[in-house]
Amino acid sequence: MNVGSTAPAAVSTPLLEDFSLEMTGKDVARLEEAATAIPRGTRINVTFLGNEDLTMRLAAARAVKRLGFVPVPHISARRLGSQRQFEDFLAGLRSDGTCDNVFVVGGDPHRPEGPYDDSLSLIRTGLLQRYGVHHVGISGYPEGHPAIPGGVLWSALGLKDSELAERGLSGGITTQFAFDVDPVLAWIEAVRERGITLPVRIGVPGPAGVRRLMSYAARFGVGAGASVAKKYGLSLTGLMGTAGPDRFLRALADGYEPGRHGEVKVHFYTFGGLRATSEWVTGFRKEALA
């Protein structure tokens, strides 16, 4: 991690204000360990993995709230086996006071396990607002999706934007992480040209081992060729090393124009390293303000 480098003040304002983090249901102990390094009120997404159950997901959301943060539970459409399972989760969130914010996503299974094929179908049920949800996060894919054609992605994004507005739900877009700023900013500009004004949180990999970063990139279809990796600061010949997103954030600050890109913030994918990511962000912000 290149924490000792000089960063421009623009990085911290406004891009690193109100950043968000991601955790899994199994990361509660890691969150407790990292809590003192995370600003109170930080939005923390809780993923909806296939190897975690309702009890674990609800407990993680409760822990986020208990520690002074804003829980954003994920709901994976294709992992829901029935409407009853969907409502049980929403009812549990409402009972715990953790239902204000959710993030809806299609999910990994190739075939739906129940009646919901994608995140749009969850929004269209009307169940989100019935159970007290006020803000809905949706996904964005600046570099595309390995299993979904680009035209389908754009159509779905527009439909979700319209559906949220019609139902009186506020929303935001969180993108898949990337190693190259240029296609991300170009994608956001294309979003704005389509009349979509939802705030965008740009997905950024937290500091992690190079091998782990490359593994996740391959899994999610993120472009990580040799030239892109070098631009980000990854050494494909030094897979045992670690890398942080300092170069990415500097390039983002240089290219970001509020008039063209609208409201943009940063979302860190922590890969289980909640404390490492939080401390890295704290150090980077201090440098940016120095």
Side-chain angles (χ1 to χ4, degrees), residues 18-279:
D18 187 30
F19 65 87
S20 54
L21 299 168
E22 190 141 327
M23 64 176 284
T24 74
K26 296 184 177 71
D27 287 336
V28 171
R30 292 188 177 100
L31 178 64
E32 292 173 338
E33 182 184 68
T36 57
I38 304 173
R40 290 295 179 266
T42 296
R43 297 170 66 87
I44 300 182
N45 288 26
V46 181
T47 56
F48 195 105
L49 301 180
N51 58 357
E52 297 174 354
D53 58 20
L54 174 65
T55 300
M56 185 178 293
R57 294 171 188 137
L58 292 175
R62 287 196 301 271
V64 172
K65 181 181 178 181
R66 170 173 55 83
L67 292 166
F69 311 119
V70 177
V72 185
H74 285 205
I75 307 175
S76 175
R78 288 194 286 274
R79 291 195 187 281
L80 292 169
S82 65
Q83 179 176 323
R84 174 65 180 274
Q85 188 179 358
F86 185 18
E87 292 201 56
D88 283 348
F89 188 41
L90 291 173
L93 294 174
R94 182 175 63 182
S95 178
D96 292 339
T98 56
C99 66
D100 284 352
N101 301 268
V102 301
F103 185 88
V104 294
V105 64
D108 293 335
H110 181 67
R111 291 185 178 181
E113 297 173 11
Y116 308 114
D117 185 59
D118 53 28
S119 57
L120 181 61
S121 64
L122 298 181
I123 299 170
R124 283 176 167 166
T125 64
L127 292 171
L128 296 175
Q129 59 266 48
R130 188 184 305 175
Y131 280 89
V133 174
H134 296 106
H135 184 278
V136 179
I138 57 177
S139 299
Y141 300 93
E143 295 183 306
H145 189 287
I148 306 174
V152 174
L153 288 174
W154 280 118
S155 175
L157 186 62
L159 288 170
K160 283 181 278 191
D161 176 51
S162 299
E163 198 73 30
L164 290 174
E166 289 176 11
R167 296 178 180 277
L169 292 165
S170 65
I173 303 169
T174 299
T175 74
Q176 180 55 272
F177 73 85
F179 295 128
D180 189 355
V181 164
D182 293 340
V184 174
L185 290 176
W187 179 85
I188 295 175
E189 193 167 355
V191 169
R192 303 310 184 207
E193 289 171 352
R194 286 168 166 79
I196 299 172
T197 59
L198 293 174
V200 174
R201 289 183 177 270
I202 297 177
V204 178
V210 174
R211 187 182 297 277
R212 171 172 284 195
L213 289 173
M214 299 307 293
S215 173
Y216 275 97
R219 177 181 172 188
F220 294 109
V222 174
S227 61
V228 170
K230 183 177 180 180
K231 189 175 183 180
Y232 185 81
L234 298 173
S235 172
L236 300 186
T237 59
L239 294 179
M240 299 306 294
T242 59
D246 47 332
R247 290 190 187 183
F248 183 94
L249 292 173
R250 288 195 198 94
L252 179 61
D254 288 343
Y256 171 55
E257 297 178 18
R260 293 171 58 197
H261 303 115
E263 183 179 345
V264 173
K265 297 185 185 296
V266 173
H267 176 76
F268 289 97
Y269 290 90
T270 66
F271 310 124
L274 279 161
R275 182 168 183 171
T277 299
S278 302
E279 290 178 346

Side-chain angles (χ1 to χ4, degrees), residues 6-19 246 248-254 256 264-266 268 280-290:
T6 303
V11 172
S12 64
T13 308
L15 293 173
L16 281 180
E17 292 178 355
D18 187 30
F19 65 87
D246 47 332
F248 183 94
L249 292 173
R250 288 195 198 94
L252 179 61
D254 288 343
Y256 171 55
V264 173
K265 297 185 185 296
V266 173
F268 289 97
W280 190 94
V281 174
T282 297
F284 191 74
R285 292 177 74 182
K286 286 181 179 178
E287 290 184 5
L289 292 170

